[in-house]
Amino acid sequence: MSQLFRRKNYSETDTSTHLLRVLGVWDIVFFGIAAIIGAGSFSSLGEAVFRGGPGVILLYMICGFACGFTALCYAEFASRIPAAGSAYTYAYASFGELIAWVIGWALIMEYSFGNIYVAFSWSDYFTSFLGRLGMHIPDYLTCSYTEAKKAFMSGSENRELINAWKTAPLMGSLKFIVDIPALVINGLITWLCYIGVKESKNFNNSLVILKLAVIILVILIGFSYINTDNWTPVSVETGIPSFMPNGFAGVMSAVSGVFFAYIGFDALSVLSEETKDPQKTLPKGMIISLVLCTVIYIALTLVLTGMVDYRKFDGVGDPLSFIFEKSNANVAWMELTVSFVAIVAITTVLLVFQMGQPRIWYAMSRDGLMPQKFQEVHPKYKTPAFATIITGVVVGLPILFTDKSFILDFTSIGTIFAFVLVCAGVLLLPAKEKIKGRFHLPYINGKIIFPIIFIGGLVAFYFWEPSFFQNLMEWNDPKEGEFRASIFFFILINLAICILAFIKNLSLIPLIGLSSCLYLLTGMSHENWFWFGIWFSIGLVIYFSYGYRNSKLSKS
């Protein structure tokens, strides 16, 4: 049993690599922008605005705040352990082998499953763009079977999905419904990742520049069409103008869509072994990209909720082009431009995520927890070739039978869980000698400060929303009840953390990151936790049947 929690000492491990070190600070920043500004802004932002109203901007700030402190924790790990593997590698150094495996398994949700959602979003924008040019792909070739069937059975108002179900040809007794554009882009991105990180870097940087230019254009033009009354719509429940018309629970219900926008910065730490001077370069790149992207998301949310009433975003999968449609701002050239650039933006997200997953498997294989084939490096391209191909297959197959909403929630809960363990892992690291030129996480004793911040925050929130605390133990209402129950357990866990912080003199920055990420988990439904539990159980079966027996730590 001691092997389960045996830590890997990377200071004594050879972290030399067969991969090419070609990435500098601004390459890392551009990869970060590529991953963070993509499907989150061009697709899931619409659903988030509909759920939370203008108040969803608070959720972007909360997520940015949580990810900012988490990024500092990632940066601390990256400065100590310049090896591929991201949170998996960091967990191996701080928690031990079993938790490292759990994190590695959770990261499959972040990268592979996340890219399924991104591929679906790319397909939506691609077919929408072709439609605006007068070209039409049959509806049954632009969506998944599950999505079309669910829409038909539930009486959805989505005409494309209903038409796909009704017009799809039969193959025996089964309707032929396949998202061809999603499958094609997955294949092309897999090929690009296979041929080399240098080629991927150059392709990515050029696309990011174009994407940023158009997003800035959207913000500048959009501000001239803002109606400030849209920022305080009338609440359906109270009849009073409110920044949060669906209440704070409504804002938190959008956490999957909002947090999905931020998960890309984790992919940067996977590129450690392809980064020049990673102890210095990675921390800078992470923090710069996160700050820039948070500012962009806040500006975009202000524009969207100011230009169009939040209720109009129901079911809108292309929100940035939607605001310029004839029924809204009526700027036809912007509508077409944004539709095209969205394809570019989402392509860069696919690229970064598809680069991330093979390097997780590469690191796990090197430790003996995955078959040796996954650490195979292509002799010419110097990429983890076999792992890259398998990633393409893992992303491609579920495109045939799953749907976007399930994948979005599934990806977000796994990623937040990984972030929680990264922040907690920093608290377990021993003190280190400061080396000039490397990143060092500042130590601020959280013994007194963290309890004051947490308890003071509870008191402030009580005076702001006293009714919420008065009804905290009422869990009967499906929507409000789940959120209140989650908040109740969140408070209990954080009170325990306050006690530990006082006893152990824990560092303030990772404490705030840990608490913030735990708070984001309160927005997840019981159904999300159920499916995460099943995925977690499957991972444990694989670990004990293969990883535990073949671990290199057990043989050392």
Side-chain angles (χ1 to χ4, degrees):
M1 288 297 290
S2 61
Q3 180 191 324
L4 297 179
F5 302 101
R6 186 174 176 181
R7 302 175 186 179
K8 183 172 180 180
N9 190 342
Y10 284 89
S11 62
E12 299 173 1
T13 303
D14 180 15
T15 55
S16 62
T17 179
H18 299 292
L19 305 177
L20 293 177
R21 293 194 182 276
V22 296
L23 303 178
V25 173
W26 287 102
D27 294 318
I28 294 298
V29 171
F30 273 57
F31 271 119
I33 294 172
I36 300 170
I37 303 293
S41 56
F42 285 91
S43 184
S44 63
L45 178 57
E47 180 67 18
V49 167
F50 173 71
R51 290 188 183 188
V56 80
I57 192 174
L58 298 176
L59 191 52
Y60 275 102
M61 292 178 179
I62 292 171
C63 287
F65 179 83
C67 290
F69 282 93
T70 305
L72 291 173
C73 295
Y74 267 90
E76 175 67 11
F77 269 121
S79 71
R80 293 183 183 230
I81 309 170
S86 180
Y88 157 77
T89 299
Y90 306 156
Y92 218 152
S94 53
F95 288 107
E97 185 171 283
L98 178 61
I99 302 301
W101 168 268
V102 169
I103 287 293
W105 190 243
L107 288 174
I108 296 175
M109 286 191 283
E110 178 178 346
Y111 295 112
S112 297
F113 283 71
N115 243 6
I116 297 169
Y117 177 84
V118 179
F120 280 135
S121 297
W122 189 93
S123 175
D124 287 343
Y125 268 100
F126 180 72
T127 54
S128 176
F129 178 72
L130 291 182
R132 289 183 172 98
L133 295 179
M135 293 178 276
H136 180 70
I137 301 176
D139 291 329
Y140 58 83
L141 296 180
T142 62
C143 65
S144 71
Y145 179 90
T146 304
E147 204 171 15
K149 182 178 180 180
K150 184 185 293 185
F152 180 78
M153 299 300 290
S154 64
S156 170
E157 296 182 6
N158 190 311
R159 289 175 296 176
E160 288 80 9
L161 292 177
I162 297 298
N163 188 55
W165 184 260
K166 290 182 177 180
T167 60
L170 290 172
M171 295 183 64
S173 59
L174 189 68
K175 290 180 179 288
F176 182 77
I177 302 175
V178 180
D179 197 327
I180 297 296
L183 289 172
V184 170
I185 191 60
N186 173 59
L188 290 174
I189 292 296
T190 301
W191 169 77
L192 186 60
C193 292
Y194 183 85
I195 65 173
V197 69
K198 185 175 181 180
E199 290 73 11
S200 302
K201 177 194 76 170
N202 295 334
F203 176 71
N204 174 75
N205 289 356
S206 61
L207 295 187
V208 168
I209 291 172
L210 175 62
K211 174 171 64 174
L212 285 178
V214 173
I215 285 179
I216 291 171
L217 187 63
V218 168
I219 293 171
L220 292 177
I221 293 178
F223 263 107
S224 63
Y225 288 90
I226 283 177
N227 176 3
T228 55
D229 290 339
N230 286 330
W231 286 335
T232 53
V234 175
S235 172
V236 177
E237 296 180 1
T238 64
I240 301 172
S242 173
F243 186 59
M244 296 185 291
N246 297 322
F248 197 70
V251 171
M252 285 304 300
S253 70
V255 68
S256 292
V258 172
F259 187 78
F260 186 80
Y262 282 100
I263 66 176
F265 86 84
D266 171 86
L268 303 182
S269 60
V270 180
L271 302 174
S272 290
E273 294 185 30
E274 288 147 294
T275 301
K276 295 178 285 188
D277 194 8
Q279 290 96 334
K280 184 178 180 180
T281 301
L282 271 177
K284 283 185 178 179
M286 283 181 183
I287 295 168
I288 293 172
S289 61
L290 190 64
V291 171
L292 288 175
C293 292
T294 299
V295 171
I296 290 171
Y297 271 120
I298 290 172
L300 280 176
T301 306
L302 283 171
V303 168
L304 262 67
T305 56
M307 287 181 65
V308 180
D309 187 290
Y310 81 97
R311 285 165 285 218
K312 290 187 177 181
F313 287 95
D314 184 15
V316 173
D318 52 348
L320 296 193
S321 59
F322 171 73
I323 59 178
F324 294 107
E325 285 185 358
K326 189 175 182 179
S327 59
N328 296 313
N330 192 21
V331 186
W333 68 272
M334 274 298 293
E335 182 184 356
L336 189 64
T337 301
V338 172
S339 294
F340 171 73
V341 174
I343 298 172
V344 172
I346 296 175
T347 301
T348 63
V349 180
L350 282 163
L351 176 64
V352 177
F353 278 24
Q354 207 85 331
M355 287 177 66
Q357 182 58 63
R359 286 150 181 83
I360 298 292
W361 279 333
Y362 174 84
M364 296 176 75
S365 174
R366 194 162 55 186
D367 293 330
L369 303 184
M370 295 285 286
Q372 191 173 357
K373 187 76 173 174
F374 282 88
Q375 61 177 302
E376 184 179 277
V377 175
H378 194 281
K380 178 181 178 182
Y381 300 127
K382 301 300 181 183
T383 57
F386 178 77
T388 299
I389 293 173
I390 295 300
T391 298
V393 173
V394 169
V395 174
L397 288 179
I399 286 174
L400 300 173
F401 58 81
T402 191
D403 64 270
K404 284 183 290 191
S405 59
F406 173 76
I407 289 295
L408 183 63
D409 289 340
F410 199 46
T411 303
S412 295
I413 192 171
T415 307
I416 299 174
F417 182 73
F419 285 9
V420 165
L421 290 184
V422 167
C423 293
V426 170
L427 295 171
L428 300 180
L429 293 176
K432 68 174 181 179
E433 180 185 353
K434 291 188 177 182
I435 302 174
K436 187 177 181 180
R438 292 189 182 181
F439 176 83
H440 297 278
L441 186 69
Y443 172 77
I444 303 172
N445 195 332
K447 177 176 184 175
I448 303 297
I449 301 175
F450 181 75
I452 289 176
I453 291 174
F454 179 70
I455 296 173
L458 282 181
V459 173
F461 191 76
Y462 175 81
F463 284 106
W464 182 41
E465 288 281 343
S467 60
F468 180 84
F469 281 89
Q470 291 166 6
N471 301 318
L472 187 61
M473 300 303 294
E474 295 181 10
W475 302 348
N476 296 326
D477 180 80
K479 181 180 177 182
E480 289 280 353
E482 282 191 12
F483 180 54
R484 290 192 186 114
S486 299
I487 288 293
F488 176 75
F489 288 110
F490 165 77
I491 292 173
L492 290 182
I493 293 171
N494 272 269
L495 289 175
I497 294 174
C498 286
I499 296 172
L500 285 175
F502 185 82
I503 296 173
K504 300 289 187 179
N505 294 316
L506 298 179
S507 178
L508 182 63
I509 291 176
L511 280 173
I512 294 177
L514 174 61
S515 181
S516 301
C517 290
L518 285 171
Y519 180 72
L520 293 178
L521 286 175
T522 63
M524 299 297 170
S525 68
H526 293 164
E527 184 180 2
N528 299 154
W529 283 108
F530 172 76
W531 287 109
F532 179 71
I534 290 179
W535 178 256
F536 182 82
S537 301
I538 293 172
L540 289 180
V541 170
I542 295 175
Y543 170 71
F544 283 108
S545 61
Y546 182 88
Y548 181 78
R549 298 178 181 179
N550 294 278
S551 167
K552 290 187 177 180
L553 279 186
S554 66
K555 300 174 183 178
S556 61

